[in-house]
Amino acid sequence: MNLRRAAWVAAAIFWTLFGLVTGVQLWLSMITHGHSVPRLLAYNMLVWDGWLAITAVVVMLVRRYPAVTGRNLLIHVLAAFVAAVAHICYWVGLILVMHPFDPMPFGWTEISFSGSLFGRLPLELVLYGVVAASAHAMEYAIRARDLELSLAKSRLHALELQIQPHFLFNTLNAISTLVRAERNREAVTMIAGLSEMFRYMLDRSEQQLVALEEESAMVSRYFEIQRMRFPDRFTFDIDVAADVRRAAVPTFILQPLAENAIRHGIAQSSGPGTVTVRAFRDKNDLRIEMFNSGRLTDAFGSGVGLRNTRERLRQLFGDAQQFSLTSAAGGVLAAMTIPWEEALARGNR
C-alpha cells in the first residue's frame, strides 16, 4: 500500500472512530433520556464522516495552494470558514432527517441555526487547521520519500555506469590479447559476444531488477567468451534451480563476480580451472554462489566491481541482504543472499 492510500485509509478510520467515540459519550451523557442507541451512534458517525469529504477538499487545496505565502494562507482561511459552515449545515440536516434524539422532538422551530453556527464554528475551524497541517506534513513526507528514491536510483545508476566501463575494459583487453596472438577467429567471435552483452545492458538500462534466468544466460555468454582465451584449461557450470529462474535480481549483478573469478582465479593459474555458479531458494531468500578455483588474495576483493556490487546490494536491500567472499576448498567462494521476489514480465516493468 502506498503512502497516499494508507493516509486515506487512516483518515477514514479516524473520522469513523471519532464519530463512534463522541456518539458513545453523547449517549452516556443522555443515558436516562431513552434515545435509540443505534440511531444515536449512526448519527454521530455520519456527522464526523462528513469530514472525510472535507478532508479530500483540504488535501486538494494544500497540493494546489500550500500555505507558504500570504495569498495561499488567506485562501485556506476562507476555505476553513466555508467548510465549517457547510459541515454545520450538514450536521443540522442530519438532525432533522434522522431524529436521533427521539422521543425528544426536533424540528426547525426547536433548532437555533445561529446558535449552532457560532457554538460549533470554533471547533470546525480548529479541525480544518488540524487537517490542513496533517495534509502539509503528508505532502512533505511524500516529496521527501520521492526525493530519497530518486537519489537512491541515481546512486545505483552511477554504480552501474562504473561497472560497465570496467567490464568493457577487461573484455577489450582480452580481445587485444587474442589479436596479438593472431587468433582472429576467436577475437571476432568475442566481439560478437561483447555486442550481444551490450545490447542486453542497453535494453535493461532502466530496470533495477531482472529475472535470474536472464542474468545467468548473460554470465554463461561471458564464460563462453572467456573460454576462447583459455580453451584448454577453463570449464564452467551454471546450476540454477528451476524454481528460482524467475527470481528477481539486480541487473548485471553477476558480471563483477564472473570477471573476478576469471581475472583473479583462472587467469592467475597455469593449470586447469573451473567456475561453478549455483542459485537456489533458502526459505524466503534467494542465495547465489559462485565458486572459482584459485586462491583468495587481497586483490580479489578490492576491485571496483565487487566494491560496487556490495554497495548496490546495500542500496537495494539494506540489512536484508548478505554478501561474502571467502576461501573454500580448492578455491574462492563469492556468495550473496537477497530477499526472494519474483520478477515481473518485461511488458509490465
Side-chain angles (χ1 to χ4, degrees):
M1 184 181 294
N2 62 39
L3 198 55
R4 290 189 191 277
R5 186 178 300 176
W8 281 114
V9 171
I13 293 173
F14 171 80
W15 288 118
T16 301
L17 288 178
F18 189 77
L20 183 62
V21 170
T22 56
V24 170
Q25 289 179 329
L26 182 62
W27 168 63
L28 289 174
S29 68
M30 306 173 71
I31 197 169
T32 60
H33 294 188
H35 300 312
S36 167
V37 176
R39 187 185 305 169
L40 197 61
L41 294 180
Y43 154 73
N44 269 273
M45 291 170 68
L46 287 173
V47 165
W48 294 111
D49 276 341
W51 256 97
L52 188 58
I54 298 175
T55 298
V57 175
V58 175
V59 170
M60 181 187 68
L61 288 174
V62 165
R63 289 182 190 168
R64 187 165 184 178
Y65 306 106
V68 294
T69 65
R71 172 179 171 274
N72 288 359
L73 186 59
L74 179 60
I75 290 174
H76 282 285
V77 170
L78 294 175
F81 278 95
V82 172
V85 172
H87 189 250
I88 291 170
C89 291
Y90 168 72
W91 196 335
V92 172
L94 280 176
I95 293 177
L96 297 174
V97 171
M98 296 186 67
H99 303 288
F101 301 108
D102 284 352
M104 296 170 56
F106 261 91
W108 283 109
T109 55
E110 286 80 18
I111 295 177
S112 171
F113 185 78
S114 60
S116 298
L117 180 64
F118 290 105
R120 294 169 176 169
L121 186 63
L123 173 61
E124 299 284 336
L125 294 178
V126 168
L127 288 176
Y128 184 98
V130 171
V131 171
S134 300
H136 276 90
M138 180 59 63
E139 287 301 308
Y140 284 126
I142 290 173
R143 290 175 187 173
R145 181 205 59 184
D146 290 344
L147 178 59
E148 185 177 348
L149 288 174
S150 178
L151 289 173
K153 287 181 179 179
S154 296
R155 286 194 292 266
L156 285 167
H157 187 57
L159 292 171
E160 291 170 6
L161 290 178
Q162 288 179 4
I163 288 174
Q164 291 171 11
H166 185 257
F167 155 71
L168 176 61
F169 172 80
N170 287 343
T171 307
L172 289 177
N173 187 52
I175 292 171
S176 67
T177 301
L178 292 175
V179 171
R180 284 195 296 270
E182 297 184 353
R183 294 166 60 184
N184 296 335
R185 180 176 297 179
E186 291 95 329
V188 170
T189 304
M190 188 176 286
I191 292 171
L194 179 63
S195 173
E196 185 179 326
M197 296 186 72
F198 261 83
R199 187 179 298 113
Y200 171 80
M201 285 189 289
L202 291 173
D203 288 346
R204 292 153 183 79
S205 60
E206 299 300 320
Q207 297 174 221
Q208 290 295 344
L209 299 174
V210 297
L212 176 58
E213 61 183 349
E214 298 179 34
E215 280 292 296
S216 60
M218 278 301 98
V219 168
S220 177
R221 189 74 180 95
Y222 175 76
F223 285 147
E224 288 170 2
I225 291 173
Q226 293 300 322
R227 188 157 55 184
M228 297 176 195
R229 293 177 59 197
F230 314 103
D232 301 324
R233 59 186 184 88
F234 172 46
T235 59
F236 70 91
D237 179 63
I238 298 178
D239 179 17
V240 176
D243 61 335
V244 300
R245 289 174 185 168
R246 294 299 306 165
V249 297
T251 308
F252 227 54
I253 197 67
L254 299 181
Q255 187 61 35
L257 306 186
E259 290 183 55
N260 258 28
I262 297 295
R263 185 178 182 185
H264 299 293
I266 306 303
Q268 298 300 317
S269 174
S270 59
T274 186
V275 177
T276 303
V277 180
R278 294 178 62 238
F280 54 93
R281 189 165 182 173
D282 183 12
K283 297 180 181 177
N284 294 324
D285 294 323
L286 171 68
R287 183 169 176 84
I288 302 174
E289 298 177 348
M290 187 176 297
F291 169 87
N292 68 268
S293 55
R295 187 168 57 89
L296 181 61
T297 63
D298 293 338
F300 207 110
S302 60
V304 172
L306 285 192
R307 189 165 63 246
N308 284 5
T309 297
R310 288 189 174 97
E311 182 61 19
R312 288 181 69 200
L313 291 173
R314 190 186 67 79
Q315 290 283 344
L316 284 168
F317 305 110
D319 294 335
Q321 56 80 31
Q322 292 182 343
F323 181 85
S324 62
L325 187 67
T326 57
S327 294
V332 179
L333 180 67
M336 69 176 74
T337 303
I338 61 176
W340 168 264
E341 178 184 351
E342 187 166 334
L344 298 175
R346 288 200 65 190
N348 297 328
R349 292 175 189 166

